[in-house]
Amino acid sequence: MKTLPLLMLALSVSATGTLSAAPKLEGSPEELRAFLHPQKHMVTLSDMAEKSAWTDKATINIVVSTEKSKLADAMAENAQVRQRIRAKAISLGVPEERIKNARFSSTPQYGWFGEKPSSFKVVNRVAVEIDNEQQMQGLAQLADAEKTMEFGNVEFEHRDKERFQREVKQEALDKITKQKTFYEKSLGVKLVPVSFHDGMVQPFATAGAAGLERHLRSAAPQAKMAESAVMYAADSAAPEAPSSFDEVRYQAHISVVYEVLAQP
């Protein structure tokens, strides 16, 4: 049976013959450690919150590829195509500052014989930030008419995401505070926060939006089925990002560690 450390009085006789008493602690190392440094009583309260919104911004990456026997001619044609993209986007109501030429590259194309390039290929990416589906349709029509153009990936975003992130965090904290008040009142204790864990808040597609994306991928041409399968496998390991002008959901998971104290 374990015993608590005892406070003993050690008696000693001084040189003058008088008795003196000094306090002395006895017990195992674990018992002495618990006596001298008592552990604090801790409790962790956790909760979550979520909020839905709709994406209102998309960045379309349009790839322009031109090939000519002379590099200067390939570059000139590429610039002309990119200018048509700019003019079309502006006519659709896209501000000029939202149209970016992101990258440039040129590649010599060699024939079967000889070391001299037979032609030069110039590739450039134009990134256009749009606000609505009508602007996407207009740029898609231009891409259909231009053999040198093709749509790359489209990145959808929610412009007001920072405010939504703050709001879901605040809602989760409010729920935890209600839990804290409930336990303090019910148990007659005082909870003092000592640390917390703030899970990353990121927007991701709702079940409806993600289901629509999976349906679109399943309807892809056979030539792209392997690529779609790889993309789906990669996405299934993490929450899917918005893939259209559709609904997104923000979730916040927060935990707060409290020290439990007796009410004064």
Side-chain angles (χ1 to χ4, degrees):
M1 179 177 179
K2 292 186 177 179
T3 58
L4 294 175
L6 300 177
L7 182 62
M8 305 295 294
L9 292 178
L11 300 179
S12 61
V13 181
S14 65
T16 58
T18 59
L19 293 176
S20 62
K24 180 181 179 181
L25 284 174
E26 290 184 352
S28 68
E30 291 77 12
E31 292 171 338
L32 292 173
R33 187 179 301 110
F35 182 81
L36 296 172
H37 304 285
Q39 292 184 351
K40 297 179 179 179
H41 296 285
M42 314 296 287
V43 64
T44 301
L45 301 181
S46 302
D47 219 314
M48 65 160 294
E50 64 179 30
K51 193 177 182 69
S52 295
W54 293 83
T55 54
D56 53 4
K57 167 188 169 183
T59 301
I60 301 176
N61 293 288
I62 305 174
V63 180
V64 180
S65 303
T66 53
E67 185 174 350
K68 294 290 183 181
S69 59
K70 295 182 179 180
L71 176 60
D73 293 342
M75 293 176 63
E77 183 180 359
N78 197 285
Q80 293 171 5
V81 175
R82 285 184 280 116
Q83 183 56 40
R84 289 197 289 273
I85 295 174
R86 179 178 295 272
K88 181 65 174 180
I90 292 175
S91 71
L92 293 169
V94 179
E96 191 168 359
E97 62 271 14
R98 295 185 185 176
I99 307 169
K100 307 292 183 182
N101 289 328
R103 185 170 54 192
F104 164 80
S105 65
S106 64
T107 306
Q109 305 297 308
Y110 293 89
W112 287 101
F113 304 100
E115 297 181 356
K116 186 176 181 180
S118 59
S119 64
F120 291 87
K121 186 175 183 179
V122 175
V123 181
N124 205 310
R125 178 168 62 90
V126 181
V128 184
E129 182 183 314
I130 64 173
D131 298 322
N132 54 63
E133 191 173 348
Q134 287 70 33
Q135 293 172 342
M136 181 182 292
Q137 290 175 356
L139 291 173
Q141 292 171 356
L142 180 63
D144 291 340
E146 294 274 0
K147 294 182 179 180
T148 55
M149 287 175 51
E150 64 176 317
F151 265 33
N153 67 312
V154 183
E155 303 167 4
F156 292 88
E157 296 182 39
H158 176 221
R159 283 193 174 93
D160 208 14
K161 63 181 179 181
E162 292 185 0
R163 179 174 67 86
F164 274 66
Q165 289 172 344
R166 291 194 301 269
E167 288 180 356
V168 292
K169 285 184 179 181
Q170 185 62 60
E171 185 177 341
L173 283 173
D174 290 343
K175 290 181 178 180
I176 292 175
T177 300
K178 288 182 180 179
Q179 290 187 54
K180 169 182 174 292
T181 302
F182 170 78
Y183 287 120
E184 286 181 330
K185 183 177 180 180
S186 300
L187 303 177
V189 297
K190 181 176 179 59
L191 302 182
V192 179
V194 294
S195 67
F196 66 93
H197 174 71
D198 181 1
M200 183 180 295
V201 181
Q202 290 291 344
F204 58 93
T206 60
L212 174 62
E213 176 65 13
R214 287 193 292 271
H215 173 75
L216 292 175
R217 288 178 181 173
S218 65
Q222 291 296 324
K224 295 186 177 180
M225 284 300 291
E227 179 184 355
S228 299
V230 173
M231 291 174 61
Y232 177 76
D235 288 347
S236 63
E240 295 189 52
S243 56
S244 64
F245 284 110
D246 210 325
E247 192 177 15
V248 291
R249 182 167 63 240
Y250 296 83
Q251 281 189 350
H253 299 262
I254 298 179
S255 299
V256 181
V257 179
Y258 293 92
E259 180 182 358
V260 183
L261 302 176
Q263 285 284 10

